[in-house]
Amino acid sequence: MPHLSRFFSGLCRRPVVRSILLFAVGILAAASAHAQVGANLSGTVKDTTGAVIAGASVTITNLATSESRVLTSGTQGEYRAVNLPPAQYSVTAQAAGFGTTKKTVELLVGSELTTDIDLGTAGTSEVVSVEAGGADILIETTKSQPSSIIDNRQLAALPVLNRSFLAIAQTMPGVAPVAAMAVTQKFAVSKFGGVADQRNGYTTIIDGTPLDDSTWGAPIINISQDAIQEFKVFQHQFDAQYGKAMNAVVNVVTLAGGEKYHGTTYYFGRDASVNAVNALATSMPPYKLLRTGATTGGPVPKIDRTHFFGSFEYVRINTAQVTALPASNPYASQLNGNYPYTQWESIADVKVDHTFSDKHTAYGRYAYDHQFLPNGGPQNSASNTTDNSIAHSLVLEDNYILSPRMVNTARYAYLNHNLFSTPGNNNLNIVRPGYTFGQNNTLPQYFPRTNHTLSDTLFLSNAKHQLKLGAELTKVYSTYESHYYETGQFTFTTEAPFDANNSATWPTVFTMQTPGEYFYRQLQYTGFVQDDYKVLPRLTLNLGLRYDFNSNLRNNKFYNNLLINPFFAGVNNFISPSRGTDWVGGLQPRIGFAYDVDGRGKLVIRGGFGIYYTRMRPYWALQDQTQTLGAAVRITNPQQLRNYPNVTAVLGGQSLQDYVNSGGARAANTLANDFSLPSSMNFSAGIGWQIDSRSSLNLNFVHDHSTKEIATRDLNLPASGVITQLAGAVPTGGVVSRPVPRFTTFGSVYNNGQSRYDALELQYRTRPKFLDTAVISYTYSRSIIDALTYYSQYVGTMRTPQNYSYNPTDTPNNLSVSLASKEFLKGFRVSTIFRGLSGSPFSTQAGIDLDGDGIPNNDRPLGLPQYVGRGDVTGQLALINAFRANPCRYLYYSTSSCTIAAYGGGTIRRDQLVPDATLTWDARITKAFHFGDHYLVEGFFEGYNLGNHPTRYGQNANMNSTAYMQPTSALPARQLQWGARVRY
């Protein structure tokens, strides 16, 4: 046995064998393929007459690390290097009987660069340089996907208020803040395309591993701008190695060390004294920001061919939440004001890479992010909450060149994230049309989760085919400590004070639930194959097939246990004992083409089609447990509700657990028997035109059609009749019972709808002599949904659903202009970003149960869309005002009498339905001081929303409120910031 142990130990020390074994492990795992971080470089070696040269030696050297790859051109003169780290490279070619040619090129993340090399006669030497930073101008001649790139020069130069890389992504075509709120949310939440629920729309990949929040979709780890080399966004079309997103992939690569020590130290500050007053505020709230950080990288001392790079950043903000309810809101005088709070964040990352040989390299990267994010607000406000997020990410990657035409990449990724959110008070939760008081109904909640991922990709290439074969296995372990509705929630449809003798003032719903801790495990498998097939010298086909499978998609073990539990008698009316799983849904074919019209890469025609599935969010399978296993009730019986605010009296003098145990009807929430993940069928067609060496234009038409969007419906709903009498309306024929009396609502998260997004997206990039970068992006689009925008929303008027509407993220016109100058006047530079964005439609709902299904959420008068302010605004306005004047006319059932009073606040004006456009102008002026060849000191002064344009949002959506359609928030007014950075 010792001999056998030594044999295998020796065998596994061989790099080739180790790499093949890792590949085999990935294939046997059959899992979800990881992203390609590196870039590919290919071309043809020719002589001066254009004849190909076989057997030429091509040496590709990373100028930062001095690492080299040596290739030999094939029988057609072709050479290709795959999965190269993004960097600047020298490419040297030579052959017997010919001279030597050396080129300098820049490779960007995920790019396919074609560089042909001409060799002169023997004894000659030629050096061809490419301007640094000009690679983003080049048109990819072999790729069908629309994409945009942001490099570290743009990140360093452009003004970004919160230094989020996703905020810079909003300068790309089709990308915009979500509902005008992104600048106030963590990581600047962005919208990509037009899926109904943007949380399913995109994934953020950092160093090859996704770092998405399991609940909200945004990345859970931020990276300092000074630590990012570049990132690329693929929109609408992406190769088969990318998945778990319906519209876009944000692919980020962090900086690595090099042969020379380099780094930065920086500081940014802001103060209320130089800010303008918010459009809805009456006084200046306190504000003070401190942001400081440092990066450093270079060779590891005394360890040959090893480099490191690390960064740390800390930000602290002392500010206040501004509550500015309109005067028509009855709680304005009670609640309006500035409520101070302090938020902070610490982020760090470190990356170490090592070159074992010219054929074998590896790196490890660790990233950390801890955010403390209070929302402030009045003490007894449900919006007064605090988010605390702690995340750790570790990536280990091994790259081995098996042969000049075969490269293998193996990766392990570890992710640990704990999100815990706490309420600002523990008081009884009271929902009024104009405001919500008390403990937030979903808090406190705790979401610790851990992911382990093994993946492997094999790159194969020849003269016509560039193949990628990959597999991945991810183990996801999620925990949820839930306190849903633990103090109880009363919902009112009127602002009138409660009067036990007047049923019109009683609450309409009481909800309560016991806390608990729940678990969800899943194994995610993926396999993919991608082939870039050069059918003709000018025509490349991008052919891909991806398959994703989730071992626990429908959480069947949990439901099988419910079926055999006598306490849940009757659940078999809603849950099938043979739920199975979705074996076919994860199959995702993709096809595209790129045609190089002139053969010189100056004009490319491209197009493609693909099917894309989103990821399984653990929260979907955790919420059904907490709302089913927990003793949950949803009481709509007026005779019980008249006991408000005495919770014990509402429950018949019992505790919640005793009330349910003694037979009181309980509420439940489940995943549908045939639940599947939302998917999208995306089409694109366009052109890429390299106008000259400094300018390029990309124009694309895209059509995305998402299906199986998800929402919630009540399965315990009779076919007709009124379940609960609406206060002030007596239904003809009385009140009907639920089919299974053991339950009240039996919610089912199901695939309920679809969305469509059509857009013309344009981007012009240029580098005139006086500018370092200039990018103009414009999108004209139309986004329509026939679905809900969040999985836990109940379909309004469930018997006669009407969800067709403009998408709340619909922004027909989206223009951004970003410019950064070169140095002038002895070290000055100016950069600016201008954004013009159409306003987004507003949500609206009646605020009362119009159809008698017991749930007022999303009910609207027949003919009124979910979101107003786009389309037939005149018709929407007329219907809204008619409803507010006489709500009884719009009940979906006949009544013997109806005394619902007309709503106060008067009629709504047309301008209240028209959303504000977002017009912002940000600018930075920088003064640089050079100290020798190694040190640079930069001083900044920058301004945001310099035009002080007001963009109001957060309109009150309840048509039964006196404050209906009054905005409650506005984007930040003009802000000024200063800072300094030292580079070496």
Side-chain angles (χ1 to χ4, degrees):
M1 290 299 290
H3 297 289
L4 188 62
S5 175
R6 285 195 298 270
F7 171 78
F8 279 107
S9 176
L11 186 66
C12 291
R13 280 197 296 266
R14 297 182 182 180
V16 173
V17 174
R18 181 170 63 246
S19 200
I20 292 174
L21 287 174
L22 286 170
F23 175 68
V25 169
I27 293 294
L28 290 174
S32 75
H34 65 276
Q36 179 186 346
V37 174
N40 300 333
L41 175 64
S42 61
T44 303
V45 182
K46 306 175 183 178
D47 63 19
T48 54
T49 68
V52 299
I53 301 175
S57 175
V58 180
T59 302
I60 303 170
T61 304
N62 187 319
L63 294 179
T65 63
S66 299
E67 297 166 4
S68 297
R69 288 194 194 180
V70 180
L71 309 173
T72 302
S73 62
T75 56
Q76 301 300 315
E78 78 283 359
Y79 74 93
R80 179 175 173 82
V82 299
N83 208 25
L84 293 165
Q88 285 195 335
Y89 288 82
S90 69
V91 183
T92 304
Q94 55 188 355
F98 294 90
T100 299
T101 297
K102 183 177 181 180
K103 283 191 171 187
T104 302
V105 299
E106 183 177 20
L107 298 183
L108 303 177
V109 58
S111 64
E112 292 274 353
L113 182 62
T114 301
T115 298
D116 293 336
I117 304 175
D118 296 333
L119 298 183
T121 58
T124 62
S125 178
E126 182 180 9
V127 177
V128 180
S129 296
V130 175
E131 180 185 358
D136 58 335
I137 302 296
L138 302 178
I139 301 297
E140 289 187 294
T141 61
T142 62
K143 285 296 183 180
S144 61
Q145 302 97 337
S147 63
S148 298
I149 192 85
I150 298 288
D151 62 26
N152 58 354
R153 285 171 288 266
Q154 292 170 275
L155 287 168
L158 293 175
V160 182
L161 183 63
N162 293 322
R163 285 178 55 81
S164 163
F165 62 86
L166 277 185
I168 288 284
Q170 293 165 14
T171 64
M172 298 177 175
V175 188
V178 173
M181 296 174 63
V183 296
T184 65
Q185 296 178 3
K186 62 179 181 180
F187 302 154
V189 179
S190 300
K191 70 128 180 174
F192 298 83
V195 298
D197 188 346
Q198 279 292 325
R199 300 164 187 86
N200 299 327
Y202 71 100
T203 181
T204 303
I205 297 170
I206 300 179
D207 291 325
T209 186
L211 296 177
D212 302 320
D213 188 292
S214 63
T215 304
W216 302 109
I220 57 173
I221 289 182
N222 198 3
I223 298 290
S224 168
Q225 284 191 15
D226 283 30
I228 293 176
Q229 178 160 329
E230 61 206 30
F231 68 92
K232 192 171 191 175
V233 177
F234 296 100
Q235 296 187 69
H236 317 293
Q237 300 285 317
F238 29 97
D239 284 348
Q241 72 260 39
Y242 301 105
K244 300 178 182 178
M246 297 163 65
N247 281 119
V249 172
V250 182
N251 194 2
V252 183
V253 59
T254 59
L255 280 167
E259 289 298 308
K260 297 180 180 180
Y261 290 105
H262 59 96
T264 61
T265 301
Y266 53 88
Y267 155 82
F268 290 88
R270 262 184 276 162
D271 190 271
S273 61
V274 293
N275 292 345
V277 179
N278 187 280
L280 295 182
T282 56
S283 62
M284 174 66 69
Y287 192 93
K288 185 176 288 293
L289 174 143
L290 167 68
R291 185 187 302 273
T292 186
T295 69
T296 187
V300 175
K302 300 181 180 181
I303 304 180
D304 191 33
R305 308 182 79 178
T306 303
H307 313 92
F308 77 96
F309 187 88
S311 73
F312 175 79
E313 181 171 303
Y314 173 76
V315 58
R316 186 183 71 246
I317 302 175
N318 296 315
T319 185
Q321 191 268 336
V322 178
T323 298
L325 301 175
S328 57
N329 190 303
Y331 311 107
S333 59
Q334 172 188 347
L335 299 172
N336 282 355
N338 298 330
Y339 298 90
Y341 66 90
T342 299
Q343 69 179 63
W344 55 265
E345 181 180 15
S346 296
I347 60 177
D349 78 284
V350 61
K351 191 174 191 178
V352 178
D353 63 86
H354 179 72
T355 300
F356 296 97
S357 68
D358 289 343
K359 293 184 176 182
H360 186 198
T361 62
Y363 78 82
R365 191 269 295 145
Y366 167 76
Y368 165 83
D369 192 318
H370 186 183
Q371 293 187 88
F372 180 77
L373 297 170
N375 292 329
Q379 181 61 37
N380 194 31
S381 163
S383 62
N384 186 341
T385 63
T386 297
D387 289 336
N388 210 324
S389 172
I390 304 174
H392 305 268
S393 168
L394 174 67
V395 179
L396 302 174
E397 180 174 296
D398 181 90
N399 293 281
Y400 192 80
I401 302 172
L402 301 173
S403 75
R405 301 185 183 279
M406 185 183 300
V407 177
N408 190 77
T409 298
R411 181 181 292 132
Y412 166 74
Y414 167 81
L415 175 65
N416 178 268
H417 180 219
N418 191 3
L419 171 66
F420 43 105
S421 302
T422 55
N425 67 85
N426 298 308
N427 301 326
L428 183 65
N429 186 235
I430 300 171
V431 180
R432 293 281 188 175
Y435 205 74
T436 301
F437 299 89
Q439 179 177 336
N440 187 290
N441 67 287
T442 66
L443 305 183
Q445 57 183 354
Y446 305 86
F447 288 104
R449 66 171 171 134
T450 301
N451 293 3
H452 296 276
T453 301
L454 280 173
S455 57
D456 196 280
T457 300
L458 183 66
F459 300 84
L460 304 168
S461 63
N462 61 29
K464 289 186 174 293
H465 295 274
Q466 313 299 334
L467 279 167
K468 290 190 285 281
L469 305 172
E472 183 182 281
L473 171 64
T474 299
K475 179 181 178 181
V476 180
Y477 184 72
S478 301
T479 305
Y480 180 30
E481 182 182 331
S482 165
H483 295 262
Y484 263 45
Y485 300 106
E486 67 175 355
T487 58
Q489 180 190 77
F490 286 98
T491 301
F492 291 82
T493 59
T494 176
E495 306 287 12
F498 173 76
D499 181 353
N501 298 313
N502 181 1
S503 62
T505 68
W506 297 352
T508 58
V509 179
F510 173 73
T511 307
M512 195 174 186
Q513 186 172 312
T514 56
E517 188 168 356
Y518 308 95
F519 306 90
Y520 176 63
R521 297 181 181 180
Q522 55 180 313
L523 291 175
Q524 299 173 354
Y525 302 86
T526 296
F528 81 89
V529 58
Q530 178 73 36
D531 184 15
D532 295 337
Y533 173 32
K534 184 161 285 192
V535 183
L536 298 170
R538 298 184 185 181
L539 176 63
T540 303
L541 295 183
N542 304 134
L543 307 174
L545 181 64
R546 179 185 178 92
Y547 181 65
D548 287 307
F549 177 73
N550 189 301
S551 67
N552 197 19
L553 179 66
R554 293 172 183 160
N555 207 12
N556 288 342
K557 183 178 180 180
F558 164 68
Y559 292 105
N560 290 336
N561 288 334
L562 288 183
L563 288 168
I564 61 176
N565 188 338
F567 190 72
F568 290 92
V571 75
N572 60 304
N573 289 273
F574 314 112
I575 298 174
S576 168
S578 55
R579 290 162 57 91
T581 191
D582 186 2
W583 291 99
V584 180
L587 198 62
Q588 302 160 69
R590 296 160 192 191
I591 182 171
F593 74 92
Y595 180 65
D596 186 354
V597 175
D598 61 1
R600 298 183 298 118
K602 302 301 182 183
L603 180 64
V604 177
I605 299 174
R606 54 184 173 232
F609 162 79
I611 296 178
Y612 307 86
Y613 277 77
T614 190
R615 58 196 172 277
M616 176 64 181
R617 303 218 304 267
Y619 192 46
W620 297 337
L622 288 166
Q623 184 186 283
D624 62 354
Q625 296 180 53
T626 180
Q627 294 192 6
T628 302
L629 294 179
V633 296
R634 191 175 191 278
I635 296 172
T636 57
N637 185 336
Q639 297 310 310
Q640 292 176 263
L641 295 172
R642 70 183 303 172
N643 292 303
Y644 167 85
N646 190 327
V647 172
T648 303
V650 172
L651 297 174
Q654 306 176 81
S655 68
L656 176 59
Q657 192 68 57
D658 290 340
Y659 176 84
V660 173
N661 291 344
S662 63
R666 64 182 298 147
N669 197 79
T670 61
L671 292 175
N673 290 323
D674 58 351
F675 175 79
S676 296
L677 295 177
S679 64
S680 185
M681 296 179 290
N682 300 346
F683 302 82
S684 70
I687 63 169
W689 177 27
Q690 187 171 339
I691 301 169
D692 53 38
S693 62
R694 294 177 174 271
S695 305
S696 64
L697 175 69
N698 284 279
L699 179 66
N700 297 287
F701 168 77
V702 297
H703 170 74
D704 298 347
H705 179 196
S706 73
T707 58
K708 297 188 287 187
E709 299 275 8
I710 57 177
T712 301
R713 62 180 171 182
D714 184 4
L715 298 182
N716 199 21
L717 183 65
S720 62
V722 178
I723 294 177
T724 305
Q725 177 179 328
L726 178 67
V730 181
T732 302
V735 177
V736 299
S737 300
R738 292 186 178 273
V740 182
R742 181 71 182 87
F743 297 96
T744 55
T745 54
F746 197 97
S748 177
V749 178
Y750 77 114
N751 303 105
N752 85 307
Q754 57 186 327
S755 65
R756 288 182 171 84
Y757 174 79
D758 296 283
L760 187 66
E761 299 181 348
L762 175 150
Q763 186 175 74
Y764 174 69
R765 307 181 74 99
T766 186
R767 295 182 186 275
K769 292 182 178 181
F770 56 91
L771 291 179
D772 187 57
T773 179
V775 181
I776 301 173
S777 299
Y778 174 73
T779 301
Y780 180 73
S781 64
R782 181 174 183 263
S783 185
I784 298 292
I785 60 172
D786 191 3
L788 298 187
T789 59
Y790 192 50
Y791 82 101
S792 65
Q793 287 182 324
Y794 274 87
V795 178
T797 56
M798 277 181 279
R799 298 188 185 99
T800 56
Q802 46 168 333
N803 298 322
Y804 188 85
S805 170
Y806 278 92
N807 198 324
T809 61
D810 180 61
T811 53
N813 294 283
N814 182 359
L815 172 67
S816 70
V817 179
S818 59
L819 308 171
S821 74
K822 295 182 178 180
E823 284 194 14
F824 65 95
L825 295 179
K826 297 184 179 180
F828 281 96
R829 297 182 68 182
V830 175
S831 59
T832 185
I833 298 176
F834 169 81
R835 179 177 293 113
L837 184 70
S838 299
S840 302
F842 301 135
S843 172
T844 191
Q845 56 182 328
I848 59 175
D849 181 10
L850 293 180
D851 65 343
D853 62 8
I855 297 178
N857 305 63
N858 294 322
D859 283 16
R860 297 175 305 281
L862 188 64
L864 189 66
Q866 282 191 79
Y867 297 91
V868 297
R870 186 87 78 242
D872 182 13
V873 179
T874 300
Q876 296 164 11
L877 180 66
L879 184 52
I880 288 170
N881 283 328
F883 172 82
R884 284 168 57 83
N886 186 3
C888 293
R889 290 175 51 195
Y890 294 90
L891 296 178
Y892 282 54
Y893 54 89
S894 59
T895 62
S896 57
S897 65
C898 180
T899 58
I900 303 174
Y903 299 128
T907 59
I908 300 301
R909 305 183 309 275
R910 181 185 174 88
D911 65 284
Q912 290 179 267
L913 292 187
V914 178
D916 287 350
T918 300
L919 298 173
T920 59
W921 173 40
D922 307 334
R924 170 192 287 181
I925 185 167
T926 303
K927 176 66 170 72
F929 302 89
H930 297 268
F931 296 90
D933 296 331
H934 301 291
Y935 292 93
L936 173 69
V937 178
E938 299 171 301
F940 313 119
F941 191 75
E942 46 197 12
Y944 300 87
N945 192 12
L946 288 170
N948 209 27
H949 178 80
T951 302
R952 295 168 288 263
Y953 64 95
Q955 275 72 4
N956 185 305
N958 279 310
M959 296 166 64
N960 64 343
S961 171
T962 56
Y964 176 63
M965 279 299 143
Q966 294 289 331
T968 60
S969 301
L971 291 185
R974 182 180 60 250
Q975 298 186 55
L976 302 180
Q977 180 169 271
W978 54 89
R981 175 166 49 207
V982 178
R983 294 179 179 273
Y984 63 90

